[in-house]
Amino acid sequence: MAKTGEIAAFALGEKKTAMVNLPAQFVTSSTADMKGQKYSDLVDYADNSEKTSDLNNESMNDLIDLKEQFSKPGYANRNSAVTETHPIFGSDKLNYDNHDISVLRKDLDEAQKNGNNIHELAFSIRGDWLVKNNLYDPETRMIDQNKLKHAEQEVAKTLINKGFNLPLGEDENDVVWFGVIHQDTDHLNMHLWFAKKSQETRPEMVKQEGRYKGQPIGVIPLEVIEQAKRQFRKQLMSSQELRRHQEILKGVGGFKKEIIETAPDNLLNDRHDKAIKQIYDALPQDMKGRWQVGNAHLTAGKGKMAKANQLTNQLLDDLFDKELKPEYEGFKSLAQEYDAINIEDQGVMHKGQLKWSENKEEELRKRLANQLYKHLAQIEDISMNDIDQQMSELLRHVKKLDKGGYVDKTKIASNPQEKNSPSKPLINNVTPNSNHIGDQMPVRGGSFNKISRLWRQDIRAEINAERQFLRNQKKVEQEKAQDEYESQISRGM
């Protein structure tokens, strides 16, 4: 990123960089104090042309180190980077006048005096993304600054309240923050600076060991920064773009639901008997009741579950190629379409990084595999009971034969009531000392139908729980949006 020497002359047609980046940095008060720097130097009054004339003519990367920003008075609202007379904004107003700036400077001085860090995050936004979401017109070079500022107001809450072990401020008035939009580089930059005002005394919020023991925590976890980026993008998306994202995700979820619901009937049929028996035989008996894929890939090839996992993956390949081919192809196609959106938003994938579609497919396969293992354990219990019952009948008839009676072994039934009914095949190759099912698992008839029914019941329960969770979450979001809207109306924004 570099200065353009012009306002809102953003680069277009870029492919390799993320649509929205969010680098973060912080400076401790002791570092600033040693250099004679003041947090309040970041902002100055609107008539700062003389103070920033050298800065305005510099050719530099706009996202300069925070330590350097203090040495350039008025860096935040320098007139070469902004288009508004009062470009600074905060939690309560979109344009701070000179009085507001005076209050802001006092709050920043208080934060520094009390030994607190100052944090900066900068949303670097590609011109293509701004155009797509109706935030920038490259012909007129106009940007929707109010919409951008509203989005940062919301993201600031996330970073301040969730970026640390506890909310940064001990109450809503204990944090000072401000932002500004800079337009003099080939990407639009939205800066956000914030600091706690009162002295930090909470143990959870200070370093407990090391060189900086006793100083406030400065690093914001990466997952919080990623959450802030997602929140920022979602708030600024055009309704058309947001609807496209939602339709793809809804489609992926629909195909996934259909695959999970229909898997039991399609797996537990004659065509897959042999494959399921091989999986059963490969499951480690000393882990009975704990058969899970775990964190490993189905194709990892390591650990006690490796062989069963690999066989299950092959079974799923067969299932997705035959019985569930349309559903699987629909799932995969839409998931890959969302990959394109992610790459467009986040830039080129890092080496070894899984695509979104690959993560979703792995989640699906693991879920189906774990469900199969769970119900194979139930099949085992029922089947072994059947084996014990049939072995008991077999031994009873053998004893009769030993006493001189003649028994036609081809007519032996598993219980006396079955003698006059059509015969059922016994388990092949089972001996009293065998711990395994022989050539054929007793998975036909009642046992297999019962397991299939239980499996479907479990799946329905899971899906109903997920639906209820999503309904509750949507209700909370709607109520929150309404509260925020009413709050904005009351503030006259």
Side-chain angles (χ1 to χ4, degrees), residues 286-310:
D286 61 341
M287 292 178 62
K288 177 182 174 182
R290 295 180 289 114
W291 294 336
Q292 290 279 325
V293 178
N295 294 324
H297 300 293
L298 280 169
T299 57
K302 294 181 180 180
K304 290 185 176 182
M305 293 290 296
K307 185 176 179 181
N309 288 343
Q310 290 173 339

Side-chain angles (χ1 to χ4, degrees), residues 155-173:
V155 171
K157 296 176 186 176
T158 297
L159 292 165
I160 291 168
N161 293 322
K162 298 182 180 180
F164 306 92
N165 296 331
L166 296 173
L168 184 63
E170 297 181 45
D171 59 58
E172 61 180 9
N173 297 314

Side-chain angles (χ1 to χ4, degrees), residues 404-416:
Y406 175 77
V407 178
D408 185 350
K409 294 182 181 179
T410 63
K411 295 182 180 179
I412 296 175
S414 60
N415 61 59

Side-chain angles (χ1 to χ4, degrees), residues 178-443:
F178 66 98
V180 71
I181 298 174
H182 283 175
Q183 305 180 46
D184 59 338
T185 52
D186 52 6
H187 292 174
L188 182 144
N189 293 320
M190 287 195 69
H191 295 266
L192 167 66
W193 293 269
F194 60 85
K196 184 180 190 296
K197 289 196 290 187
S198 66
Q199 186 175 4
E200 185 58 83
T201 58
R202 296 169 293 177
E204 300 92 337
M205 297 291 282
V206 297
K207 292 278 190 180
Q208 297 299 316
E209 55 185 19
R211 178 181 176 185
Y212 300 103
K213 182 177 180 180
Q215 289 193 11
I217 293 171
V219 177
I220 300 175
L222 180 60
E223 59 266 25
V224 177
I225 293 176
E226 289 299 321
Q227 178 186 350
K229 284 169 61 177
R230 289 193 298 271
Q231 180 185 0
F232 185 77
R233 288 198 304 264
K234 185 175 180 180
Q235 289 187 86
L236 290 171
M237 279 184 194
S238 67
S239 57
Q240 179 181 358
E241 189 66 13
L242 186 59
R243 186 163 53 250
R244 182 168 77 98
H245 287 210
Q246 291 172 339
E247 286 174 353
I248 293 174
L249 292 174
K250 184 178 179 180
V252 171
F255 280 120
K256 177 184 175 182
K257 174 177 175 289
E258 192 169 355
I259 290 170
I260 290 171
E261 286 183 335
T262 56
D265 287 337
N266 284 288
L267 280 175
L268 304 181
N269 62 41
D270 293 335
R271 195 173 80 80
H272 297 300
D273 276 359
K274 184 177 179 181
I276 289 178
K277 180 196 173 298
Q278 289 175 335
I279 293 169
Y280 175 84
D281 286 341
L283 288 165
Q285 294 302 309
D286 61 341
M287 292 178 62
K288 177 182 174 182
R290 295 180 289 114
W291 294 336
Q292 290 279 325
V293 178
N295 294 324
H297 300 293
L298 280 169
T299 57
K302 294 181 180 180
K304 290 185 176 182
M305 293 290 296
K307 185 176 179 181
N309 288 343
Q310 290 173 339
L311 290 170
T312 300
N313 197 59
Q314 292 171 14
L315 173 62
L316 293 176
D317 283 341
D318 187 28
L319 180 72
F320 293 154
D321 188 52
K322 301 288 193 310
E323 291 94 339
L324 296 181
K325 185 174 183 177
E327 294 84 352
Y328 175 68
E329 288 184 346
F331 170 85
K332 197 166 184 177
S333 175
L334 285 178
Q336 288 173 346
E337 192 172 339
Y338 204 75
D339 283 341
I341 290 174
N342 274 344
I343 291 172
E344 191 177 273
D345 279 354
Q346 301 174 28
V348 177
M349 308 288 289
H350 301 301
K351 186 177 180 180
Q353 183 180 358
L354 289 179
K355 296 178 181 178
W356 188 86
S357 62
E358 292 170 334
N359 279 318
K360 290 301 171 184
E361 179 166 357
E362 185 170 328
E363 289 174 8
L364 175 63
R365 286 176 178 259
K366 282 187 176 183
R367 181 167 180 174
L368 292 174
N370 286 332
Q371 287 176 344
L372 177 61
Y373 295 158
K374 174 183 176 181
H375 294 285
L376 278 179
Q378 295 180 33
I379 289 173
E380 178 202 28
D381 293 338
I382 294 171
S383 300
M384 292 307 293
N385 289 336
D386 290 346
I387 292 169
D388 291 341
Q389 181 181 348
Q390 293 183 50
M391 286 305 301
S392 176
E393 290 293 327
L394 180 62
L395 291 173
R396 191 183 319 128
H397 285 288
V398 170
K399 287 178 181 178
K400 286 183 181 179
L401 186 60
D402 289 342
K403 292 179 180 180
Y406 175 77
V407 178
D408 185 350
K409 294 182 181 179
T410 63
K411 295 182 180 179
I412 296 175
S414 60
N415 61 59
Q417 287 74 21
E418 291 181 346
K419 290 183 180 180
N420 296 321
S421 61
S423 61
K424 294 183 181 180
L426 291 177
I427 308 298
N428 298 325
N429 301 330
V430 177
T431 65
N433 296 323
S434 174
N435 291 323
H436 295 279
I437 296 175
D439 294 340
Q440 182 181 355
M441 290 174 60
V443 292

